[in-house]
Amino acid sequence: DDLSLPTRKKRVGPLALAFAALGLLLPAALASAEPQLRAGFGRAPITPVLADSWTDIDGDGRYDEDVDRYEDRNGNGRFDAIYMAGFQSPRPATGVHDELEAVAAVFDDGDTRVGIVAADVVGLSHSFARKVREVYAEELGLDYLLVHATHNHQGPDTQGIWGRSRLRSGIPDGYLKFLRKQIGTALAQAVRRLEPAELEIAEIRGRDRRIGTIDTRRPDVIDDGLRVAVVTRAGGDDVLGTLVNFGNHVELTWDRNLELTADVAGWARRGLDVGLDYDGARYKAGLGGTTLWLTGNIGGLITTPPRIAVMDPRSGELVATPSQEKARAQGYQIAEAVLDARAAGEFTRVGSPSVSALKRQIDVPISNWPLLFAGSTGVLDRDLDLRWGFETESEVGLVRIGELWIACVPGELYPEIAVGGIENPPGADYRIAPVEVPPLRSAMRGRVNMMVNLANDALGYIIPKSEWDADEPWIYGASEESYGEVVSAGPETARIVHRALLRVFATASGERKKK
């Protein structure tokens, strides 16, 4: 059933307590006052410790013990590798370019407190999210917590499938426990920093392809737009923090990068927090505060491959070669788009926003045999249930902060499910009409509607059933199979997620009408 999360007993401010202690009635104006939004932001480092390093002698970005050499820095006689997620494996890290972080935001209207935390990792299972909630939700007074992975392909393996071999998990020993602790640290910091706040929101359209994102699998559909929320100190202009929702794979430095980095998400956060900085020279000032990056709809897959150049906002030069310069160019373009839109007065202030959250539990069948094998052997961080077949528990959700809607999608959603354009091409395994209709965005009723992928789970690609293609002939006359099905739970995932989200949106819309 749809679950409208329970609210806690309404918090009472110090003035109200003073009146109550004196046995006096509250002034009418105070008693009828609208809820006051409070917000706080926090961050904590989540970079794993690199005990050893190695030299990629053949330059293929893959560790081969017969060719490459490792440096046994701790002298224990073995290679203590931190395996990086995404791309080929094994790809151990050789160093750290910049700090990986867990960034948190907490919103409280006096009745409901919601936390959002984003970690610079590739994906986090639903069981991981549940454990975080079990430890910190009650302690921090959270009615709902959104646990998001930015889908960073340049961080440690947090799912298990990028290890030294298919039979060995790539998750560093003790790392998930450390990550839960640091997420708690970021959330606790955000709670301590709660203060009266105001909200400004905007949707910035028409920049995705200019910034360098493309859809690498037909049909060519992009969920265009930057969705942004800027949180300011109540009664002032000081920015407490910013939420940026953008749909692109966090992988600009690509597959030969061997240094841990937050990639484009880190550069965008830096650009908004402190400004567009080039080796100590400030090109454009930032907003201040703490920026939270939320990865949008990226199935399909939506990315910026090596053949696509990105323009640096300061020099105007095009950067195609995967590098930190390319990640900076795209991150700074995203930051500049937000900065320019706010300077132009394109943001809308949301008056006295209330906070609420809805979630719906779903059971998703797993028909992907390699993933089933990895899950059953403990290589993949995934809980499996055997009923009529193998299933895994997951959830969808919706956070509302006034006219800002934040949909929680437990995997990588193909954009056509969000905005339309689903096809049933020749070669598809099912000759059916699209079933994930209507498009999800048509059912969202916020002024600004964010869609966050890899929220509270990492189910892999969420592919329209009518586009599913695990067997020959391949769709659109292709000569080889598509990548998406290899890391998807199965062909029923999209239908289940789509239907559950529509029900959550309908419940939210019904509540909105009642008000």
Side-chain angles (χ1 to χ4, degrees):
D1 294 328
D2 290 327
L3 174 62
S4 180
L5 295 169
T7 57
R8 292 165 292 109
K9 185 176 180 181
K10 188 173 181 69
R11 293 184 181 85
V12 182
L15 184 58
L17 286 174
F19 274 101
L22 294 172
L24 300 175
L25 294 175
L26 292 175
L30 178 63
S32 63
E34 291 182 333
Q36 171 65 62
L37 177 69
R38 294 195 301 151
F41 289 77
R43 66 200 323 157
I46 61 169
T47 311
V49 175
L50 268 64
D52 297 335
S53 187
W54 67 290
T55 302
D56 185 16
I57 292 175
D58 56 6
D60 65 352
R62 186 193 306 267
Y63 178 73
D64 182 346
E65 61 184 10
D66 295 327
V67 178
D68 302 315
R69 296 290 179 267
Y70 78 88
E71 182 182 353
D72 186 14
R73 293 175 176 174
N74 58 10
N76 64 358
R78 66 172 185 267
F79 183 19
D80 298 307
I82 297 295
Y83 294 105
M84 298 175 70
F87 300 112
Q88 72 283 353
S89 62
R91 184 170 60 116
T94 60
V96 177
H97 179 273
D98 54 275
E99 193 82 81
L100 307 181
E101 293 185 307
V103 183
V106 173
F107 298 92
D108 190 318
D109 68 355
D111 283 329
T112 304
R113 178 177 292 178
V114 168
I116 303 172
V117 63
D120 288 323
V121 295
V122 70
L124 297 166
S125 69
H126 188 51
S127 59
F128 179 92
R130 285 201 311 267
K131 289 175 183 176
V132 173
R133 291 167 174 172
E134 289 169 3
V135 175
Y136 297 109
E138 184 175 354
E139 176 184 324
L140 299 176
L142 299 173
D143 297 300
Y144 183 73
L145 174 60
L146 191 173
V147 180
H148 169 59
T150 65
H151 202 46
N152 179 22
H153 281 44
Q154 312 300 342
D157 183 4
T158 50
Q159 294 183 259
I161 56 178
W162 287 279
R164 189 164 186 168
S165 73
R166 293 184 178 181
L167 298 177
R168 298 179 64 177
S169 172
I171 301 174
D173 290 342
Y175 183 73
L176 293 185
K177 182 178 180 181
F178 165 74
L179 181 56
R180 287 194 294 271
K181 177 179 177 295
Q182 294 303 93
I183 284 175
T185 297
L187 286 165
Q189 186 180 101
V191 169
R192 288 195 303 272
R193 293 178 174 176
L194 281 170
E195 63 175 290
E198 296 175 352
L199 185 68
E200 303 173 12
I201 55 178
E203 182 175 293
I204 306 167
R205 302 293 298 274
R207 287 181 178 255
D208 291 59
R209 295 182 189 275
R210 286 167 49 195
I211 288 173
T213 53
I214 65 168
D215 187 356
T216 57
R217 170 171 165 164
R218 293 174 64 185
D220 185 6
V221 179
I222 288 179
D223 181 14
D224 180 74
L226 276 160
R227 280 91 186 176
V228 189
V230 175
V231 183
T232 60
R233 180 169 287 119
D237 295 325
D238 293 342
V239 172
L240 303 178
T242 304
L243 277 61
V244 175
N245 179 219
F246 181 69
N248 196 28
H249 265 68
V250 180
E251 58 181 14
L252 271 289
T253 50
W254 214 249
D255 64 340
R256 293 300 185 269
N257 172 60
L258 299 177
E259 291 186 316
L260 296 171
T261 172
D263 204 272
V264 61
W267 285 108
R269 292 196 302 249
R270 179 175 177 176
L272 285 168
D273 290 354
V274 302
L276 277 55
D277 181 275
Y278 290 82
D279 302 319
R282 183 68 46 80
Y283 170 67
K284 184 172 288 189
L287 296 177
T290 301
T291 298
L292 184 68
W293 168 286
L294 300 168
T295 300
N297 295 322
I298 56 173
L301 54 93
I302 305 300
T303 188
T304 307
R307 71 178 186 273
I308 299 298
V310 179
M311 186 181 73
D312 180 85
R314 182 184 66 167
S315 67
E317 295 179 357
L318 294 175
V319 185
T321 303
S323 59
Q324 287 293 343
E325 288 72 27
K326 185 174 184 178
R328 178 179 65 186
Q330 188 171 88
Y332 276 7
Q333 277 210 52
I334 292 167
E336 186 174 55
V338 176
L339 295 171
D340 290 350
R342 192 160 187 264
E346 296 174 11
F347 278 71
T348 300
R349 185 172 293 275
V350 179
S352 302
S354 61
V355 177
S356 63
L358 295 164
K359 70 175 181 180
R360 180 176 175 80
Q361 181 179 316
I362 56 176
D363 294 314
V364 179
I366 306 292
S367 59
N368 185 319
W369 286 105
L371 292 184
L372 276 175
F373 176 77
S376 61
T377 57
V379 172
L380 176 68
D381 183 30
R382 167 66 55 189
D383 290 341
L384 299 173
D385 296 319
L386 180 58
R387 296 172 187 172
W388 297 107
F390 283 101
E391 294 182 341
T392 189
E393 180 184 298
S394 189
E395 75 173 59
V396 300
L398 175 66
V399 172
R400 291 176 294 173
I401 308 169
E403 296 178 282
L404 173 66
W405 282 32
I406 306 173
C408 306
V409 183
E412 299 166 69
L413 191 80
Y414 276 45
E416 53 265 40
I417 299 174
V419 299
I422 298 174
E423 297 183 356
N424 185 219
D429 294 354
Y430 301 92
R431 300 307 299 162
I432 58 174
V435 295
E436 298 84 12
V437 292
L440 288 172
R441 285 202 176 277
S442 69
M444 299 184 74
R445 297 290 180 260
R447 181 186 290 268
V448 171
N449 298 305
M450 296 184 175
M451 298 188 73
V452 181
N453 283 197
L454 297 125
N456 306 311
D457 206 352
L459 289 175
Y461 287 110
I462 301 174
I463 305 170
K465 188 172 182 178
S466 61
E467 294 176 10
W468 184 266
D469 186 34
D471 299 309
E472 293 189 78
W474 309 119
I475 54 177
Y476 301 108
S479 59
E480 58 184 10
E481 64 180 334
S482 300
Y483 174 66
E485 286 77 358
V486 176
V487 287
S488 173
E492 302 300 325
T493 305
R495 177 185 60 82
I496 293 169
V497 170
H498 175 267
R499 183 174 60 183
L501 279 169
L502 284 182
R503 293 187 68 174
V504 169
F505 297 160
T507 300
S509 297
E511 291 180 359
R512 187 183 183 195
K513 289 178 182 178
K514 289 177 184 178
K515 293 178 181 179

